[in-house]
Amino acid sequence: MSQTLTMRTPGPGQGGSEKRERVGRRSPLRRFLARPEVGSLIGAVVVFAVFFAVAEPFRQAASFSTVLYASSTIGIMAVAVALLMIGGEFDLSAGVAVVTSALATAMFSYQFSLNIWAGAALALALALGIGFLNGWILVRTNLPSFLVTLSTFLMLQGLNIAVTKLVTGSVSTDNVSDMDGFASARAVFASSIPVGGVDVRITVLWWLLFAALATWVLMRTRVGNWIYAVGGNAESARAVGVPVKRVKIGLFMTVGFFAWFSGMHLLTAANGVQQSGEGVGNELLYIMAAVVGGCLLTGGYGTVVGAVIGAFIYGMTRQGIVYAGWDNNWIMFFVGAMLLLAVVINMWVRNQTSKR
Amino acid sequence: MVTLTDTTEAAREERAPSEPVLELRGVGKTFGNIRALSGIDLKVGAGEVTCILGDNGAGKSTLIKIIAGLHAPTSGEYRVDGEPVAFTSPRQALDRGIATVYQDLALVPLMPVWRNFFLGSEIRTGFGPFRMLDVAGMRRVAEEELGKMGIDLPDIDAPVGNLSGGQRQVVAIARAVYFGARVLILDEPTAALGVKQSGVVLKYVNAARDAGLGVIFITHNPHHAFMVGDHFVVVKLGRTELDAPRSELTLEELTHHMAGGAELDALEHELKRGEGEGR
Ligand SMILES: Nc1ncnc2c1ncn2[C@@H]1O[C@H](COP(=O)(O)OP(=O)(O)OP(=O)(O)O)[C@@H](O)[C@H]1O
Ligand SMILES: [Mg+2]
């Protein structure tokens, strides 16, 4: 700082610092309860307890690994979607963008006889480009992200099937599993790693790694500060010099990157054949995970850890219902009920803790 | 408040007229077919408080948004240190030392006090991709700077939305001053405040002036203006109605101009009559 202001009178009390009384800091418990993810944590414990009690297979380590896998497939995207939501936007095209990336990797590789990794690089450029376009249209037009990404969602949904049919003559891609680089891509995106006698899918590890990285960025870097600020109050952020547009575009491109990553998993896990009609509806599951985890739909509030817990609740519910032997169709009902419950708990907890 | 004017009166005498840090010449601004400002001249010197007064919708906020780089003027010239500038973002104005505390304060309610304090000018440590926020340092500085202004917050981690209006105002001012402002623009800082809290803000305006900052102080309240001002500009319907140094003006005259001269006379007449009838 260049100048220091020396106040002749230190403040309203005029008594100097020794007279200032401190209102006690909030207690550790209160601080914990004020965290955005508390509601989801309670929810996770309840869901776990319920399925632990009613579904015998749920209690085995191997099935827990499956639960984690189901969580990670939604959870990886939920990390990016949570960042975007904290930044004040959401992306309805995220679900089909995953499939777009998988289709692009397969078709680029097959049509141009490329190594899978080369096809993947082209698909990555495409995925980042879609994210950039979403963000760019948003900041140029100032339209709400609901409208912009609804448009992209519909366009991609159509393009996925139409282009695949044009290129391959069917609704799925040609099989790329015997092409160069497929084995190594599969090792990176869809293998299993034994951990303490149980096979854990590699996506689980990626999921936790990405979540840790995103948490670090959000809490400990300048960009993280900016993400909270543009979501909390974009005008104020701009007024103090935060590059609001760049932050928003960057967030959409982050979703693009994660969509590419998830697409690579989809393709390699599906043995090199990608169906073009998949992915629709998943965007809402990502948003669900983030919101269950305490992210505000209006932006500026939430954590990635919350979104991880949200995805975990989804994974437990999904697999738990299978293990309990109930009809699959109950899955969505319970996911929806969980969402409602978590949102209500989050709101209640927030109101309680902001009272002093 | 009396002592405040006494001490500053003496300081005022000593100061020689300085080169303006910031100067507007014939500046105008239209929004579509709304003419918010036209032909505004303004000079702001270092160590000087320029008060801009005017009614609601007079164009005060528009004027300072031009100075702050949020709006580009549609006509006229804007000079900083004698050279013409055309700011396209508030960041550029900030880099020239022109800091603004907006009517809406430019704080993010959901974010903790210390994050707000350093928003847009974060302190970082480390190298390359591992550069990260110096959280401990930022918390300490924020707490110290706010302490200097006489607010001691219970919790520097509390979201700004939990603070009182006066506390928020002081956070925003402390932030601008800390980041080396040469010109500090305050848009109605006392509007929502009680007497005591207004006093704190006015003292801080004074302290900023004595530290050599040029202060532009926007207010509806001629009493507040007269307590700290060296120079007074009254804006009316986007035009300059009055532009006078303190030496050529009394509080009564200032109040008179603010209320629009003749209109005030009529009002005064009416009030006197009311009083007479009451007795
Ligand atoms: N972005 C804008 N678009 C259109 N008109 C605007 C815009 N900003 C301000 N105006 C108009 O310009 C005029 C001046 O507004 P301004 O906000 O500068 O007034 P003000 O003097 O700050 O008033 P107040 O004391 O109420 O804050 C008003 O008539 C307002 O409607
Ligand atoms: Mg105003």
Side-chain angles (χ1 to χ4, degrees):
Chain A
M1 101 151 273
S2 50
Q3 310 115 328
T4 317
L5 284 188
T6 38
M7 291 282 291
R8 279 160 303 187
T9 42
Q14 325 246 314
S17 55
E18 71 279 359
K19 262 197 187 171
R20 283 194 218 129
E21 59 182 290
R22 289 193 142 264
V23 185
R25 288 181 182 274
R26 287 183 296 178
S27 70
L29 178 68
R30 247 194 138 73
R31 272 168 178 273
F32 171 73
L33 285 177
R35 295 200 56 80
E37 49 300 84
V38 165
S40 62
L41 205 57
I42 297 169
V45 170
V46 170
V47 172
F48 184 85
V50 166
F51 285 115
F52 196 88
V54 301
E56 197 277 323
F58 194 80
R59 294 165 215 168
Q60 292 155 13
S63 14
F64 193 69
S65 164
T66 313
V67 165
L68 285 178
Y69 173 57
S71 311
S72 72
T73 53
I74 292 297
I76 288 177
M77 282 303 285
V79 167
V81 167
L83 290 178
L84 180 69
M85 196 176 285
I86 293 168
E89 309 294 341
F90 47 80
D91 186 352
L92 294 178
S93 69
V96 285
V98 170
V99 175
T100 305
S101 300
L103 293 169
T105 302
M107 285 194 277
F108 280 135
S109 306
Y110 190 86
Q111 299 302 323
F112 304 138
S113 304
L114 295 173
N115 186 298
I116 292 291
W117 287 101
L122 291 173
L124 175 60
L126 180 72
L128 292 176
I130 293 169
F132 176 83
L133 214 61
N134 271 333
W136 185 75
I137 295 171
L138 183 101
V139 299
R140 284 306 293 260
T141 59
N142 275 324
L143 285 171
S145 50
F146 184 92
L147 290 181
V148 173
T149 60
L150 178 63
S151 315
T152 340
F153 161 63
L154 294 171
M155 289 191 287
L156 286 181
Q157 191 189 348
L159 279 174
N160 280 353
I161 303 178
V163 173
T164 306
K165 269 187 173 168
L166 268 182
V167 173
T168 69
S170 85
V171 291
S172 63
T173 63
D174 297 293
N175 193 330
V176 292
S177 62
D178 50 2
M179 296 189 67
D180 287 344
F182 188 85
S184 59
R186 195 187 164 96
V188 171
F189 296 104
S191 58
S192 292
I193 292 170
V195 176
V198 182
D199 275 352
V200 176
R201 299 295 295 259
I202 196 167
T203 47
V204 175
L205 305 179
W206 282 120
W207 173 39
L208 299 178
L209 181 76
F210 286 139
L213 194 68
T215 298
W216 180 76
V217 168
L218 204 52
M219 305 310 294
R220 285 292 176 266
T221 71
R222 188 172 68 175
V223 169
N225 219 30
W226 290 353
I227 292 172
Y228 277 110
V230 301
N233 190 336
E235 271 309 303
S236 295
R238 183 171 112 84
V240 292
V242 173
V244 174
K245 293 181 177 180
R246 287 217 316 256
V247 172
K248 295 225 165 176
I249 292 177
L251 284 171
F252 276 102
M253 291 178 73
T254 306
V255 174
F257 172 82
F258 279 79
W260 169 80
F261 192 95
S262 302
M264 290 305 294
H265 168 70
L266 214 57
L267 181 67
T268 49
N271 289 318
V273 179
Q274 181 59 49
Q275 301 296 327
S276 59
E278 291 179 356
V280 178
N282 284 349
E283 64 282 342
L284 297 179
L285 291 177
Y286 311 145
I287 293 173
M288 179 279 304
V291 172
V292 165
C295 290
L296 278 185
L297 212 55
T298 44
Y301 189 82
T303 61
V304 170
V305 174
V308 168
I309 300 173
F312 182 51
I313 291 178
Y314 169 80
M316 284 196 291
T317 312
R318 193 190 163 88
Q319 291 309 121
I321 284 172
V322 174
Y323 292 137
W326 300 344
D327 184 349
N328 263 343
N329 292 307
W330 286 102
I331 292 174
M332 280 305 159
F333 172 81
F334 278 108
V335 171
M338 277 310 309
L339 175 61
L340 190 62
L341 201 67
V343 172
V344 171
I345 293 177
N346 285 342
M347 196 175 62
W348 183 77
V349 168
R350 228 179 359 259
N351 288 341
Q352 288 300 306
T353 50
S354 64
K355 285 181 196 153
R356 282 172 185 266
Chain B
M1 280 303 117
V2 181
T3 52
L4 181 78
T5 22
D6 285 351
T7 54
T8 54
E9 210 75 62
R12 209 167 266 131
E13 304 300 305
E14 295 163 18
R15 239 189 340 266
S18 55
E19 275 296 297
V21 180
L22 180 158
E23 189 177 357
L24 298 182
R25 290 185 190 166
V27 160
K29 174 78 189 171
T30 51
F31 295 102
N33 50 12
I34 302 171
R35 176 171 295 162
L37 285 178
S38 60
I40 299 285
D41 295 319
L42 186 72
K43 280 184 188 170
V44 178
E48 209 176 78
V49 178
T50 304
C51 295
I52 298 179
L53 299 102
D55 241 330
N56 290 114
K60 305 181 297 294
S61 295
T62 308
L63 178 60
I64 60 133
K65 278 177 181 165
I66 290 174
I67 299 173
L70 268 170
H71 289 328
T74 36
S75 62
E77 201 180 34
Y78 178 9
R79 288 166 179 263
V80 176
D81 299 319
E83 61 182 86
V85 291
F87 295 139
T88 52
S89 87
R91 185 77 250 173
Q92 294 173 347
L94 269 173
D95 291 342
R96 299 292 296 257
I98 299 166
T100 310
V101 175
Y102 294 93
Q103 214 162 358
D104 50 18
L105 295 178
L107 296 173
V108 183
L110 286 167
M111 288 174 80
V113 173
W114 66 271
R115 281 186 186 268
N116 264 290
F117 193 94
F118 282 96
L119 185 58
S121 313
E122 293 83 355
I123 306 177
R124 291 188 293 170
T125 56
F127 300 96
F130 301 109
R131 286 183 74 161
M132 51 190 228
L133 297 178
D134 177 9
V135 174
M138 292 198 293
R139 288 154 134 267
R140 185 172 39 75
V141 172
E143 203 149 19
E144 275 171 19
E145 291 300 311
L146 292 171
K148 276 187 205 163
M149 296 201 59
I151 43 171
D152 192 8
L153 299 172
D155 187 352
I156 201 86
D157 275 311
V160 156
N162 287 5
L163 304 186
S164 77
Q167 287 174 326
R168 282 183 225 183
Q169 196 74 49
V170 178
V171 169
I173 297 177
R175 175 173 69 181
V177 171
Y178 175 74
F179 286 106
R182 295 195 301 146
V183 175
L184 182 62
I185 306 170
L186 306 172
D187 192 2
E188 304 198 30
T190 56
L193 303 187
V195 177
K196 200 169 164 186
Q197 300 221 7
S198 295
V200 175
V201 173
L202 292 177
K203 266 180 208 148
Y204 217 70
V205 169
N206 244 344
R209 188 257 314 280
D210 291 345
L213 274 79
V215 180
I216 301 177
F217 179 32
I218 288 140
T219 179
H220 279 295
N221 187 327
H223 295 272
H224 287 170
F226 213 72
M227 263 182 239
V228 294
D230 299 293
H231 191 103
F232 303 88
V233 175
V234 176
V235 182
K236 195 177 177 190
L237 297 175
R239 293 178 173 280
T240 311
E241 153 100 1
L242 171 87
D243 185 346
R246 187 190 185 83
S247 55
E248 293 171 12
L249 211 63
T250 64
L251 177 57
E252 286 68 36
E253 282 167 342
L254 184 63
T255 316
H256 195 257
H257 273 286
M258 265 221 57
E263 289 163 41
L264 187 73
D265 287 339
L267 184 67
E268 209 168 323
H269 186 68
E270 217 166 280
L271 287 175
K272 274 197 183 126
R273 209 182 48 195
E275 250 170 51
E277 278 165 10
R279 265 178 212 146

